[in-house]
Amino acid sequence: MIVRHRILRLGTLPSSRYFSSFESTVKLPTGIAYRQPTGLFISNEFGASNDGKQLTTYNPRSGKPIANVFVAGSPDVDYAVQTAESALRSWRTTSGTDRGILLYRLCRLIEEHKTLLGSIEAFDTGKPLDTVVADDIQDCINVTRYYAGWADKIHGYSIQPFAEKFAYTLHEPFGVCALIVPWNYPLMLALWKLAPAIAAGNTVVLKPSELTPLSSLYLGNLITEAGFPPGVVNILSGDGNTGAVLASHPRINKISFTGSATTGKKIMHAAASNLIPVVLELGGKSAAIIFEDADLEQAVKWCYSGIMSNSGQICSATSRILIQESIYKKFVEMFKAYTIHRMSADPLDHGPQISDVQLEKVMQYVRSGIEEGAHLVYGGKEIIGPGYFMQPTIFADVRDHMKIAQEEVFGPVVVMDKFTTQSDAIQRANSSTYGLASAIFTKSLTLAVDTSQKLEVGMVWVNSSQDSDFRVPFGGFKMSGFGQELGEYAVKNYLRPKAVHLNLGVSL
């Protein structure tokens, strides 16, 4: 199939406002009702799972059910992979220009549906609507547009070792890629993977979290409307078993997973049975280092945002704060005061935990911190009412051996302790088994650069926290995984080099 013919001769785009039997009507908190796809998206069609099994997704702000979606089992995964494999035969030879045109169309459709997609995402995750629309969905638009531009810029290199020999490289797609994404930024992280994979000429099977599948399934409508050939993008809602079957499938050629280190190990083990290469973006226990010359007012605000945004459910959250001894007490007091100020304006400002299970997990860490002797400065309690809310929680005098200092809590819990010298701070920051990110607060550029070079992390922020840009790589070291999302690096995740040797006259 030649995609160019399809693109150039289409006078108008097909309408996405069609109904199928695999949809349900969902009424959003805004009062708007829309048609939510509930089926498995395979070959540009929604359908039931082989066994008819379904799961329910809930609104974290109310705890009430939103919709039921089908759960992909082993036969459904087989069918999706086979469909992607069939589509790959023509898709991998489609020109980069035509792949880019389709991604630009998808970008335009995401922009047209920006408010609706944001409303779906906010309902499914419990996040504030304004934040989702302005930040998360806008990032989806930026990422898709960026990789649309990359699609026709993929090329190899020529190498001539000597006069009688010429060689060149081809950068080819891997094939069928399994993309497994978490629940904290469902659509954004899906497109962080999907857009570069498609731009590089792969076909994909996307598996969203069972807790937040709705926006990814709705994306299937836009994939079809954009004109992607059937089978290039397939979307399977499902549970952990679905992900396990997908990761161990013998016809998958590449896996990209974002989630916890525990699940990442399972993904890697499953992939090992077929020697499937993987990209893992896992958890973190990122440290913010506050030097005594820092602008404390700004450091407090950035550090609050770095841990309390999205209720702490961010892999790169700066959940540890190391403060130079001379300013330690002052910083802790200022951070507490700022937290009280934010809570007085809106006690639910930071958002809910994603589920009752996640809320209980975080509360167990709070109890552990108290039992191990950390000083509870503020919070530590659930917020009684509908939904899965808890207070922002501040611990001080947290020693490195404590559980809350070592393990990823993934909630609005920050741990603080003092340090004396730069080398002490670096040693403490690097003591974690994780290595995703770190933040440095200082007015000294020399100190910032020197400290950045000595931190064993994939990302460093200087006088900020949680900065992310679609042009800049995102990823970590150690137990935080390997491989990079975003920027040129993400495209390379989905390409493999092939060397071609031409004999120009050497005889035996």
Side-chain angles (χ1 to χ4, degrees):
M1 182 180 69
I2 302 175
V3 176
R4 181 183 300 280
H5 174 81
R6 182 175 187 177
I7 291 172
L8 296 181
R9 297 200 178 183
L10 276 175
T12 59
L13 291 171
S15 172
S16 66
R17 297 170 179 82
Y18 54 85
F19 298 152
S20 79
S21 57
F22 302 104
E23 294 180 330
S24 63
T25 299
V26 173
K27 187 173 183 179
L28 297 166
T30 58
I32 296 173
Y34 78 101
R35 299 290 292 176
Q36 170 63 49
T38 58
L40 309 178
F41 184 74
I42 303 174
S43 194
N44 283 10
E45 294 181 347
F46 290 100
S49 59
N50 184 68
D51 60 7
K53 182 180 176 182
Q54 298 184 46
L55 60 82
T56 303
T57 180
Y58 295 85
N59 172 234
R61 284 187 173 267
S62 67
K64 294 181 179 179
I66 301 173
N68 295 328
V69 300
F70 285 96
V71 175
S74 184
D76 308 303
V77 172
D78 283 340
Y79 177 45
V81 173
Q82 290 169 12
T83 300
E85 202 168 35
S86 296
L88 181 67
R89 297 187 187 103
S90 58
W91 181 248
R92 70 185 304 156
T93 60
T94 299
S95 73
T97 299
D98 288 346
R99 293 197 303 269
I101 289 171
L102 290 171
L103 280 167
Y104 276 123
R105 281 189 172 180
L106 179 60
C107 174
R108 191 186 77 189
L109 289 167
I110 294 171
E111 196 158 21
E112 289 176 0
H113 292 75
K114 184 177 182 179
T115 301
L116 177 57
L117 284 168
S119 299
I120 295 169
E121 190 95 316
F123 200 24
D124 213 15
T125 62
K127 297 182 187 183
L129 175 59
D130 292 348
T131 299
V132 176
V133 173
D135 297 342
D136 299 9
I137 306 303
Q138 184 59 49
D139 192 78
C140 293
I141 295 166
N142 294 341
V143 164
T144 306
R145 182 186 297 117
Y146 177 77
Y147 289 111
W150 258 105
D152 62 357
K153 298 171 184 66
I154 296 168
H155 57 80
Y157 301 97
S158 62
I159 306 160
Q160 189 162 19
F162 47 88
E164 294 80 16
K165 182 180 175 108
F166 180 77
Y168 62 91
T169 61
L170 300 171
H171 291 177
E172 299 183 338
F174 272 90
V176 180
C177 298
L179 313 178
I180 305 174
V181 298
W183 42 259
N184 54 339
Y185 292 91
L187 191 60
M188 188 179 86
L189 294 182
L191 285 161
W192 279 21
K193 300 177 187 297
L194 186 151
I198 293 301
N202 301 275
T203 57
V204 305
V205 180
L206 170 67
K207 193 270 172 187
S209 167
E210 63 268 31
L211 297 176
T212 54
L214 300 185
S215 59
S216 291
L217 289 173
Y218 191 88
L219 182 69
N221 281 340
L222 307 187
I223 293 291
T224 302
E225 187 170 347
F228 282 91
V232 171
V233 177
N234 306 275
I235 305 169
L236 302 181
S237 49
D239 53 20
N241 183 64
T242 306
V245 172
L246 187 58
S248 61
H249 199 283
R251 304 303 295 173
I252 290 292
N253 305 114
K254 185 70 181 276
I255 298 171
S256 180
F257 169 80
T258 297
S260 70
T262 299
T263 305
K265 291 178 183 179
K266 294 177 182 178
I267 294 289
M268 197 168 180
H269 181 76
S273 61
N274 300 306
L275 292 179
I276 301 171
V278 298
V279 173
L280 299 176
E281 198 279 284
L282 307 177
K285 195 68 181 177
S286 302
I289 301 172
I290 319 297
F291 287 102
E292 59 189 358
D293 70 331
D295 181 330
L296 292 190
E297 184 177 346
Q298 282 297 307
V300 164
K301 291 179 178 179
W302 278 108
C303 287
Y304 181 91
S305 176
I307 178 58
M308 302 306 174
S309 294
N310 202 28
S311 201
Q313 298 168 128
I314 306 174
C315 57
S316 57
T318 41
S319 55
R320 290 187 295 156
I321 305 179
L322 301 173
I323 305 131
Q324 199 147 24
E325 192 170 27
S326 61
I327 58 168
Y328 178 64
K329 289 184 178 179
K330 183 177 181 180
F331 183 90
V332 172
E333 291 169 358
M334 289 177 66
F335 195 96
K336 177 182 178 181
Y338 186 71
T339 302
I340 292 171
H341 166 70
R342 293 291 295 265
M343 288 292 285
S344 64
D346 181 2
L348 307 181
D349 170 64
H350 54 292
Q353 297 299 285
I354 191 66
S355 67
D356 55 349
V357 174
Q358 178 65 16
L359 175 59
E360 175 54 28
K361 176 185 172 184
V362 177
M363 291 306 301
Q364 287 177 3
Y365 277 109
V366 172
R367 291 191 287 270
S368 170
I370 295 170
E371 290 167 2
E372 289 192 294
H375 172 48
L376 179 62
V377 175
Y378 181 84
K381 297 179 180 179
E382 294 183 35
I383 297 176
I384 304 302
Y388 314 124
F389 290 90
M390 65 173 289
Q391 296 173 330
T393 300
I394 306 167
F395 280 105
D397 305 332
V398 178
R399 307 304 179 225
D400 289 346
H401 69 273
M402 294 180 180
K403 191 174 181 179
I404 55 173
Q406 289 296 321
E407 299 184 13
E408 183 181 42
V409 176
F410 221 64
V413 179
V414 64
V415 300
M416 302 182 185
D417 200 13
K418 63 176 77 72
F419 70 88
T420 52
T421 64
Q422 178 199 14
S423 59
D424 178 31
I426 292 169
Q427 185 276 323
R428 298 276 301 279
N430 288 339
S431 67
S432 172
T433 57
Y434 294 102
L436 186 52
S438 189
I440 301 167
F441 291 87
T442 176
K443 294 175 183 175
S444 169
L445 183 60
T446 301
L447 181 59
V449 170
D450 185 60
T451 304
S452 297
Q453 293 172 346
K454 295 173 180 176
L455 289 169
E456 297 169 359
V457 295
M459 300 177 289
V460 178
W461 302 295
V462 177
N463 294 324
S464 69
S465 182
Q466 305 309 311
D467 288 348
S468 176
D469 187 280
F470 54 90
R471 292 155 289 211
V472 181
F474 185 105
F477 303 158
K478 301 191 286 187
M479 290 291 287
S480 293
F482 41 80
Q484 303 287 323
E485 308 272 19
L486 302 180
E488 178 183 357
Y489 296 85
V491 180
K492 293 179 178 178
N493 284 339
Y494 299 102
L495 293 168
R496 53 188 176 187
K498 175 187 288 183
V500 180
H501 299 258
L502 302 179
N503 186 344
L504 303 182
V506 177
S507 300
L508 294 178

